[in-house]
Amino acid sequence: ASPTRLVERFKRFAGGVSVRTKILGIVLTLTTVLGLGVTLQVRAVMNRTLIGQLDSRGESVVSDVAARATDPILLNDNFRLVELLRETVDNHPDVLYAFITGPDGELIAHTFGDTGFPTALLGLRRSTPTAIDHVEYRSVDGVIHDFAAPIFDGRAGTARVGLSENRMAEIVNATTAQMLLTTMTVGLAGLTAALLLTWLLTRPILDLVETTRAVGGGDLTVRASEWADDEIGTLAHAFNVMVDE
C-alpha cells in the first residue's frame, strides 16, 4: 500500500472512534511505551553494572586465594588448603566453587565435596595463566564466570574460583518486576485521570449536540450550557447567540 493510502486508512480509523477513545488510547500508549522503555533501559544498565562488579569481585577473590594458598602448598598442608577454599566459598555468596591445581594441571584441592569434581573444568584452560584469567561459560547452574590466578608466578600451581550470575539475575528480575508494577500503577492512575478528563471534555460537547438537535427540530427555547470559559464554552456561547438572533 502507498503512503497516501495508509494515511487515508489511518484517518478513517481515527475518525471512526470517539474522542474519549482517542484520549484513553493516547494516555495508555504513552504510559506503556514510556514505562516499558525506562524499564528495559534500567534493566540493561543494571545488568552491565552488576556483571562488572561480579567480574571485579571475582578477580579480587581469586587473587586473594592465590596469595594465601602459597604457604600451604609449599608446606604440603592439604588440610589448611581445603579450609582456605571452603572459607572462600562460605564468605562470598556469589562464589560457587573453588579449587587449586598444581603446576602440571593435576588437582590438589577443591570444594565440590561428595558430589565429585567435574573434570570438564580442567579443560577450560590448556595452560597455566601468567596473570588473572577470566572465562565465562554456561552450565546447569546458569552462567558461570571462572577466574584463574597463578600461585607463586605459576610455579606452585593455579587458583580457580567460579562465580555464578544467579544472585545478580535475581536482583535484576526483582527490580524489573517492581518497575513493571510501578508502570501498571501509573497506567491505572493515568487511565483514571483520562476518564475524568474525557468526561469533562465530552460532556459539554454532547450537551451541545443535544441542544443543536432540539433547535433543528424547531425548539428555539433551549440553550446550550456554557460549562467553562474554554474553547467549548466559547462555542456554546456563540451557538446561544446564534439561536437568540
Side-chain angles (χ1 to χ4, degrees), residues 75-222:
L75 297 175
N76 199 25
D77 190 349
N78 191 65
F79 176 80
R80 184 179 171 189
L81 201 59
V82 172
E83 287 297 315
L84 169 62
L85 298 180
R86 288 177 179 173
E87 290 178 2
T88 300
V89 174
D90 293 339
N91 294 333
H92 298 86
D94 293 322
V95 176
L96 193 63
Y97 60 79
F99 65 94
I100 292 177
T101 58
D104 298 328
E106 73 279 7
L107 183 64
I108 298 177
H110 62 84
T111 59
F112 287 93
D114 298 334
T115 60
F117 182 82
T119 57
L121 287 177
L122 297 177
L124 287 178
R125 293 175 175 82
R126 297 183 179 180
S127 60
T128 301
T130 56
I132 296 178
D133 188 27
H134 174 208
V135 174
E136 182 178 330
Y137 69 93
R138 183 175 295 275
S139 70
V140 294
D141 296 315
V143 179
I144 307 299
H145 295 248
D146 187 276
F147 295 86
I151 302 175
F152 198 51
D153 295 330
R155 288 174 288 179
T158 303
R160 297 267 299 274
V161 296
L163 278 73
S164 172
E165 287 188 2
N166 291 341
R167 194 172 70 93
M168 179 201 71
E170 290 176 359
I171 296 175
V172 173
N173 291 335
T175 304
T176 302
Q178 185 64 39
M179 293 192 66
L180 290 176
L181 180 61
T182 302
T183 300
M184 292 178 59
T185 303
V186 173
L188 291 176
L191 181 61
T192 303
L195 288 173
L196 178 61
L197 177 62
T198 54
W199 182 83
L200 292 175
L201 288 176
T202 59
R203 183 64 185 134
I205 294 176
L206 294 176
D207 182 71
L208 183 59
V209 170
E210 294 176 359
T211 305
T212 303
R213 288 174 179 172
V215 172
D219 185 3
L220 300 181
T221 62
V222 295

Side-chain angles (χ1 to χ4, degrees), residues 54-65:
L54 185 72
D55 291 341
S56 298
R57 189 158 55 251
E59 293 178 0
S60 176
V61 171
V62 76
S63 177
D64 178 70
V65 171

